Amino acid sequence: MKTKVERIQKDIEALSAFNSTPGAGLTRLSFTPEHKAAQDYLIGAMEAAGLTVRIDPVGTVIGRLEGSDPTLPVVMAGSHYDSVKNGGNFDGPAGVVMGLETARVYQDLGKQPKHPVEFVAMIEEEGTRFSGGLFASRAMAGRLTAEELATFHDKDGITTGEAMKAFGLDPAKLSEAVKKPEEVKNFIELHIEQGPILENGGIDVGIVKTIVGIKEVQVTITGRPDHAGTTPMDMRADAFLAASKVAIAANEAAIAAGHGTVATVGKVNVLPGAFNIVPGKVEFFVDIRSQYTECLDEVFGKVKAAAEAAVEGVKDLSADVKLMMDITPVNMDPHVCALMTKNAEAADMSHKEMLSGAGHDAQVMGGVTKVGLIFVQSKNGRSHCPEEWTDYDKLQKGIEVACETIMQLADED
Ligand code: HGY
Ligand code: MN
Ligand code: MN
C-alpha cells in the first residue's frame, strides 16, 4: 500500500481533540473556536505535505498541489470537518484525512500530477449550527445566497453572515467561492458508510452509485399559550397538538411513498416549554429523503397539506412551512465508479455498489463536475453518535482506493 495507517490515525486523533463536548462525543460547530483550532491543524498538515494553502470566502481550506500543466482543470478531493452535536470522530474527517494522506503519498513519491489537485476541508456540511447544510459545497456550486447568510441563524440568533465576519471572513465575497464546471475535472470524496451493510457483508469498500435527494423542511406552528389547568380542551390553540399531527402525517407519507423513502422529525422546539402551559409555538424540522424526486415531492406535498389541515378552523392557530434545503438525488460518474472498482480489485479488496441514504458534499459538487464517493465500514453501522467508529486499517483500505483513483484521474488528458 502507498498509504500509511499511522499517519491516518494521527490525523483523526488530532482532529478529534478540537471538540466542545469532550467525553460526550464530538461537537465541532462552524465558525467556533473548535473550528478554528481544527482549521489551523489542517493548514499545518497541508503545508507539511507540500501543498499551497488558501481559505475560500466561506471558510473551505484548500491545499493545492500544482500540476505540470497549471492551466488544466483541477481534481478536487476531500470532505467536511464540522460535526453534528455529540457525534463521532469519523463523519467528515475520514474524507479530509483521505486528502491529506493522498497529498503525502504524492510527496513520498516525489510525483507531480498533470492536472492540479486540490484537497479540500469543508465546513457546515451538517448544518448543525445554522440549519443550512452542505454549505461549503453549495457555495462552490453557486447555490448559496446572500439572503441565506443574512437570515439563517443559530440558537442565539447569530446569523451565518455575522458568524462568518466574526471568524474573519467576508460574506460579501460569497460569489468568489463559486467554481465553474470548466475549472473542475472531478470531485472525489471518501466517507464512512454510517450504516451496517459493509460491515455485515465483510466488504472492504462501498462504491456509491447514487446519493439520495434531501428536503429539509422547517415547520412553525403558532398557537396561543394558556394555563394547562384552566383552559377547556375545546378552547385551546395547542401548537404541539397540531405539530404532532404533521409529524405523524410525514411518517405515514414516507411509508406510503415506499422505494426506501424516509422522513424524520429529529429537532423540535416547544415554546414556552413548561409542563403547565399549553404550547404557544412549536418549531420543528422534517427531514425527507429518497432516491426518487417524485417521492420527495409527494411527501413534501403531504407535509404541507397536513400543516394546513392541523390548524384549519382553530382560532389563533397558524402554520408556516419553509423549505430550508432542497437537494436532488445525484448519480455518481460512471467512469469514476469504474476506476474505483478497478482499483479495489487490483488491491484485492472486496467492494459493493451502494446507495447513500446520507447526504454528502459530493452530491452538490455533482452539479459542477464528475464525482465519485467511496464508503468505508462503520462499526455496528452507527454514526451521528459518540459510538461512531471505523477501524484504522479499514479506513486505510478506502483511502488507498481513493488515492489511486485520484492519481489516475489527475494524469488523464
Ligand atoms: O444528514 C446527512 O445525511 C449528513 O450527515 N449531513
Ligand atoms: Mn453527518
Ligand atoms: Mn458527513
Side-chain angles (χ1 to χ4, degrees), residues 80 82 84 91 124-128 133-134 191 194 211-212 214 216 287 289 325 356-361 363 383-384:
H80 66 94
D82 63 303
V84 294
D91 173 358
E124 194 60 2
E125 185 275 346
E126 299 287 3
T128 307
L134 299 169
H191 205 282
Q194 300 178 295
I211 304 177
V212 296
I214 304 176
E216 289 303 345
D287 174 293
R289 303 188 187 205
M325 189 176 76
S356 174
H360 298 288
D361 289 305
Q363 75 189 100
S383 179
H384 281 191

Side-chain angles (χ1 to χ4, degrees), residues 81-158:
Y81 65 109
D82 63 303
S83 77
V84 294
K85 274 189 281 188
N86 308 109
N89 295 334
F90 294 83
D91 173 358
V96 172
V97 171
M98 173 273 287
L100 289 177
E101 185 58 17
T102 300
R104 289 186 286 248
V105 167
Y106 268 111
Q107 190 179 47
D108 294 344
L109 300 174
K111 179 175 169 38
Q112 183 179 31
K114 182 175 180 183
H115 291 256
V117 183
E118 290 191 343
F119 301 100
V120 296
M122 295 177 155
I123 207 68
E124 194 60 2
E125 185 275 346
E126 299 287 3
T128 307
R129 185 173 175 192
F130 300 104
S131 306
L134 299 169
F135 177 83
S137 48
R138 286 190 293 126
M140 282 193 181
R143 297 173 58 184
L144 191 59
T145 63
E147 192 221 350
E148 176 173 335
L149 300 187
T151 55
F152 284 31
H153 57 82
D154 67 7
K155 62 178 174 47
D156 301 320
I158 298 170

Side-chain angles (χ1 to χ4, degrees), residues 26-227:
L26 178 79
T27 305
R28 183 161 54 238
L29 303 190
S30 305
F31 312 121
T32 62
E34 296 74 32
H35 166 186
K36 178 71 170 66
Q39 175 182 278
D40 291 345
Y41 175 85
L42 290 170
I43 292 170
M46 286 182 174
E47 287 173 343
L51 304 178
T52 305
V53 186
R54 68 185 192 277
I55 309 280
D56 91 345
V58 298
T60 297
V61 185
I62 302 175
R64 183 180 173 98
L65 175 61
E66 197 50 87
S68 55
D69 183 349
T71 65
L72 289 175
V74 299
V75 172
M76 255 188 204
S79 190
H80 66 94
Y81 65 109
D82 63 303
S83 77
V84 294
K85 274 189 281 188
N86 308 109
N89 295 334
F90 294 83
D91 173 358
V96 172
V97 171
M98 173 273 287
L100 289 177
E101 185 58 17
T102 300
R104 289 186 286 248
V105 167
Y106 268 111
Q107 190 179 47
D108 294 344
L109 300 174
K111 179 175 169 38
Q112 183 179 31
K114 182 175 180 183
H115 291 256
V117 183
E118 290 191 343
F119 301 100
V120 296
M122 295 177 155
I123 207 68
E124 194 60 2
E125 185 275 346
E126 299 287 3
T128 307
R129 185 173 175 192
F130 300 104
S131 306
L134 299 169
F135 177 83
S137 48
R138 286 190 293 126
M140 282 193 181
R143 297 173 58 184
L144 191 59
T145 63
E147 192 221 350
E148 176 173 335
L149 300 187
T151 55
F152 284 31
H153 57 82
D154 67 7
K155 62 178 174 47
D156 301 320
I158 298 170
T159 66
T160 313
E162 287 164 345
M164 288 170 69
K165 278 184 195 149
F167 199 74
L169 298 166
D170 179 359
K173 293 188 173 167
L174 171 65
S175 60
E176 294 173 27
V178 176
K179 289 285 176 196
K180 300 186 194 73
E182 59 271 21
E183 293 177 294
V184 190
K185 177 176 184 290
N186 298 102
F187 179 88
I188 305 299
E189 186 168 8
L190 175 142
H191 205 282
I192 55 173
E193 179 200 338
Q194 300 178 295
I197 295 170
L198 291 176
E199 185 181 59
N200 289 352
I203 299 165
D204 293 320
V205 296
I207 313 281
V208 175
K209 301 293 278 185
T210 301
I211 304 177
V212 296
I214 304 176
K215 285 186 187 293
E216 289 303 345
V217 188
Q218 183 179 45
V219 182
T220 305
I221 308 281
T222 306
R224 192 185 60 242
D226 282 313
H227 194 296

Side-chain angles (χ1 to χ4, degrees), residues 115-370:
H115 291 256
V117 183
E118 290 191 343
F119 301 100
V120 296
M122 295 177 155
I123 207 68
E124 194 60 2
E125 185 275 346
E126 299 287 3
T128 307
R129 185 173 175 192
F130 300 104
S131 306
L134 299 169
F135 177 83
S137 48
R138 286 190 293 126
M140 282 193 181
R143 297 173 58 184
L144 191 59
T145 63
E147 192 221 350
E148 176 173 335
L149 300 187
T151 55
F152 284 31
H153 57 82
D154 67 7
K155 62 178 174 47
D156 301 320
I158 298 170
T159 66
T160 313
E162 287 164 345
M164 288 170 69
K165 278 184 195 149
F167 199 74
L169 298 166
D170 179 359
K173 293 188 173 167
L174 171 65
S175 60
E176 294 173 27
V178 176
K179 289 285 176 196
K180 300 186 194 73
E182 59 271 21
E183 293 177 294
V184 190
K185 177 176 184 290
N186 298 102
F187 179 88
I188 305 299
E189 186 168 8
L190 175 142
H191 205 282
I192 55 173
E193 179 200 338
Q194 300 178 295
I197 295 170
L198 291 176
E199 185 181 59
N200 289 352
I203 299 165
D204 293 320
V205 296
I207 313 281
V208 175
K209 301 293 278 185
T210 301
I211 304 177
V212 296
I214 304 176
K215 285 186 187 293
E216 289 303 345
V217 188
Q218 183 179 45
V219 182
T220 305
I221 308 281
T222 306
R224 192 185 60 242
D226 282 313
H227 194 296
T230 57
T231 312
M233 294 306 281
D234 63 355
M235 289 176 63
R236 296 176 175 216
D238 184 335
F240 183 75
L241 180 63
S244 56
K245 291 175 182 172
V246 178
I248 290 166
N251 181 279
E252 291 171 347
I255 294 166
H259 302 292
T261 303
V262 292
T264 311
V265 176
K267 182 178 179 180
V268 183
N269 189 20
V270 182
L271 299 170
F275 60 80
N276 55 2
I277 306 175
V278 177
K281 186 171 186 179
V282 175
E283 294 166 336
F284 63 101
F285 280 79
V286 184
D287 174 293
I288 308 167
R289 303 188 187 205
S290 180
Q291 61 177 311
Y292 302 105
T293 305
E294 52 274 22
C295 293
L296 289 164
D297 294 342
E298 181 185 320
V299 175
F300 180 49
K302 288 184 177 177
V303 165
K304 283 194 292 187
E308 285 160 24
V311 302
E312 180 82 35
V314 179
K315 184 171 176 300
D316 295 339
L317 202 56
S318 62
D320 176 67
V321 177
K322 183 177 176 187
L323 197 48
M324 300 291 276
M325 189 176 76
D326 191 5
I327 302 282
T328 55
V330 172
N331 293 322
M332 301 294 100
D333 177 67
H335 170 60
V336 174
C337 289
L339 272 186
M340 289 175 170
T341 304
K342 179 174 71 69
N343 292 328
E345 288 171 353
D348 200 21
M349 291 183 200
S350 52
H351 54 87
K352 176 184 180 60
E353 288 186 355
M354 297 182 77
L355 164 73
S356 174
H360 298 288
D361 289 305
Q363 75 189 100
V364 177
M365 294 305 290
V368 178
T369 187
K370 297 178 185 307

